[in-house]
Amino acid sequence: MTFSDALIVTVLGMGVVFSGLLLTAGLILCFGCLQRLFDTPAGTAKGPTAGASLEPSSGPMIEPEVLAVITTVLEVERRLHRVRGAGARETVDE
């Protein structure tokens, strides 16, 4: 294979991949438009209803002993798996 043949194959391959990415982006945009058309009927506005509350519902209270155990486990795990930087983990020597 000569250099010109390799260059032609490279350019054609990159063109096919770039075209595929553009088609995929266009398809995603079309799906978004279709979703907006089917989700929102004409003349109605989306938003919270008058009876809807934006605050989270309060569940049962957690006992202090259970909360202390959960906090301790999380602290032990944090100390065992300390993260120093971007993705690097520090190992603990025992």
Side-chain angles (χ1 to χ4, degrees), residues 19-30:
S19 300
L21 289 173
L22 287 176
L23 289 173
T24 303
L27 189 63
I28 290 171
L29 287 174
C30 288

Side-chain angles (χ1 to χ4, degrees), residues 69-82:
V69 170
I70 292 172
T71 305
T72 304
V73 169
L74 288 174
E75 181 64 23
V76 168
E77 286 295 320
R78 187 186 68 82
R79 288 183 182 180
L80 285 175
H81 303 287
R82 277 185 261 170

Side-chain angles (χ1 to χ4, degrees), residues 27-49:
L27 189 63
I28 290 171
L29 287 174
C30 288
F31 281 147
C33 292
L34 287 175
Q35 181 180 4
R36 275 186 260 129
L37 285 175
F38 289 119
D39 282 349
T40 307
T44 60
K46 275 191 162 179
T49 59

